[in-house]
Amino acid sequence: MKVRPPRRHHTVPCLYLGRFRAAGVGGKHAQIWAFDAKDGATRLASVTNECVERDFYASVETILAEELDTPDISSLLDKIESGGAFALTRDKIGWVIYYVAFQLARTPSFREIANHMFRAVGQSQPRHVSEHLMMMVLTANSIFAELCPMKLLVVIAPPGSYFITSDCPVAYGPLLDGDTESHGLRHDVVAFPLSPKTVMLLSNDFPTQGYLEVGSTSAPKLEDVVRNTNRLIVRRCDRRLYSDHQHAPSDLKLDFPLERFRRTTQNLGDGFTRVCDVLTSEVP
């Protein structure tokens, strides 16, 4: 008897969400605190039941699980957290950056953005999963090319502070107070929280790369970096925020429904636009 592939597809890997599992919560399965961006409802959720879409990838989730959503990637993220980012080979760092690029391109909101752009140029929207998958892979490759030259800054949250994540865990935009307009990936800061204590930041504008933590020369600015990174995550979430804490950081001052929940488009930068230019001439 032929085994049917699973139809519940994770748009954010369980291995990644498990890095934010709720502190002090027992039970057989990893759980995480989820905050609804529409109404602010908070609940304790199973990691395996979050960021799930029915028939989102067709049979491709098995390939993703074998190639990207792996313990090997999780091990690389652990090494970056523990201070070993710059001891990794260029290939391994590149693999992590590709993981970030693909995560940006594999969410339902990405599909929504792509459909919006197809409508804007008067083209038929992709109708089949295979067409969406082609667009997802091409865009991930283009985003990867934009991220690779950027400088990497790993930020360690000081005691009493922590990072959150979301159903769109790769966030991008200005990291300055009061500036919320994105100008495209190459002009923004790209943030990918690795855990409640650590975030990877990528930018062309960083003066240097390395680790930013208590005891470093920029330590007094750490609280601002953590707060502004979390605000970036909030602005880019699709529907849910996730944390190991039952309450979101108080300095976020969340006002539901969140601004991102009302927004229908995002600017992914020149790379995404170039891919869509190609696809609008190829996808029927």
Side-chain angles (χ1 to χ4, degrees):
M1 181 177 178
K2 187 176 180 180
V3 178
R4 294 183 178 180
R7 301 185 69 179
R8 296 175 72 255
H9 301 151
H10 289 86
T11 57
V12 179
C14 294
L15 276 175
Y16 170 76
L17 283 181
R19 303 176 72 86
F20 293 82
R21 66 177 64 195
V25 176
K28 182 179 178 181
H29 302 291
Q31 294 180 297
I32 193 169
W33 288 106
F35 305 85
D36 192 296
K38 184 177 182 180
D39 58 20
T42 301
R43 60 187 174 84
L44 194 60
S46 169
V47 166
T48 57
N49 289 331
E50 291 302 300
C51 302
V52 173
E53 295 281 334
R54 186 175 174 86
D55 296 331
F56 190 74
Y57 299 122
S59 60
V60 174
E61 188 177 41
T62 301
I63 299 173
L64 291 174
E66 292 173 353
E67 299 295 332
L68 283 175
D69 304 337
T70 67
D72 288 342
I73 284 289
S74 189
S75 177
L76 289 176
L77 299 184
D78 287 340
K79 289 179 180 178
I80 293 173
E81 274 204 79
S82 62
F86 301 100
L88 295 175
T89 65
R90 185 173 180 178
D91 286 347
K92 288 183 177 178
I93 284 289
W95 195 235
V96 171
I97 293 175
Y98 188 73
Y99 181 80
V100 172
F102 212 97
Q103 182 55 64
L104 189 51
R106 69 188 282 185
T107 60
S109 60
F110 161 78
R111 191 168 288 187
E112 174 189 333
I113 297 162
N115 288 339
H116 173 82
M117 294 189 71
F118 273 77
R119 290 193 300 269
V121 296
Q123 296 289 332
S124 299
Q125 298 175 52
R127 295 186 298 272
H128 305 294
V129 172
S130 59
E131 294 170 349
H132 282 294
L133 293 174
M134 176 181 70
M135 185 163 49
M136 182 175 67
V137 172
L138 288 175
T139 305
N141 290 339
S142 182
I143 292 171
F144 173 71
E146 291 199 34
L147 296 182
C148 274
M150 295 183 179
K151 294 185 178 70
L152 169 64
L153 188 63
V154 181
V155 180
I156 312 297
S161 298
Y162 55 93
F163 295 104
I164 61 174
T165 191
S166 80
D167 48 10
C168 295
V170 181
Y172 53 91
L175 208 61
L176 302 175
D177 288 331
D179 189 357
T180 61
E181 182 64 31
S182 173
H183 303 287
L185 293 182
R186 68 180 59 184
H187 305 295
D188 286 339
V189 172
V190 179
F192 181 55
L194 303 182
S195 75
K197 296 304 295 182
T198 314
V199 69
M200 280 177 50
L201 300 179
L202 295 161
S203 175
N204 286 317
D205 297 328
F206 289 152
T208 185
Q209 57 184 13
Y211 282 80
L212 183 61
E213 56 189 313
V214 173
S216 65
T217 56
S218 301
K221 300 178 181 179
L222 269 181
E223 288 78 6
D224 291 341
V225 172
V226 175
R227 182 185 68 252
N228 290 341
T229 299
N230 282 335
R231 288 178 177 175
L232 199 57
I233 295 294
V234 168
R235 290 201 302 270
R236 293 300 175 196
C237 85
D238 190 7
R239 178 66 186 261
R240 291 186 174 88
L241 301 169
Y242 298 109
S243 176
D244 66 331
H245 287 63
Q246 185 174 0
H247 303 286
S250 58
D251 56 7
L252 283 181
K253 298 183 175 66
L254 300 179
D255 182 20
F256 298 99
L258 297 180
E259 177 188 356
R260 172 61 189 93
F261 187 74
R262 295 192 295 267
R263 189 160 54 231
T264 58
T265 60
Q266 299 176 15
N267 177 11
L268 279 176
D270 298 338
F272 181 72
T273 302
R274 287 196 301 270
V275 170
C276 282
D277 287 342
V278 173
L279 288 172
T280 50
S281 64
E282 292 183 355
V283 177

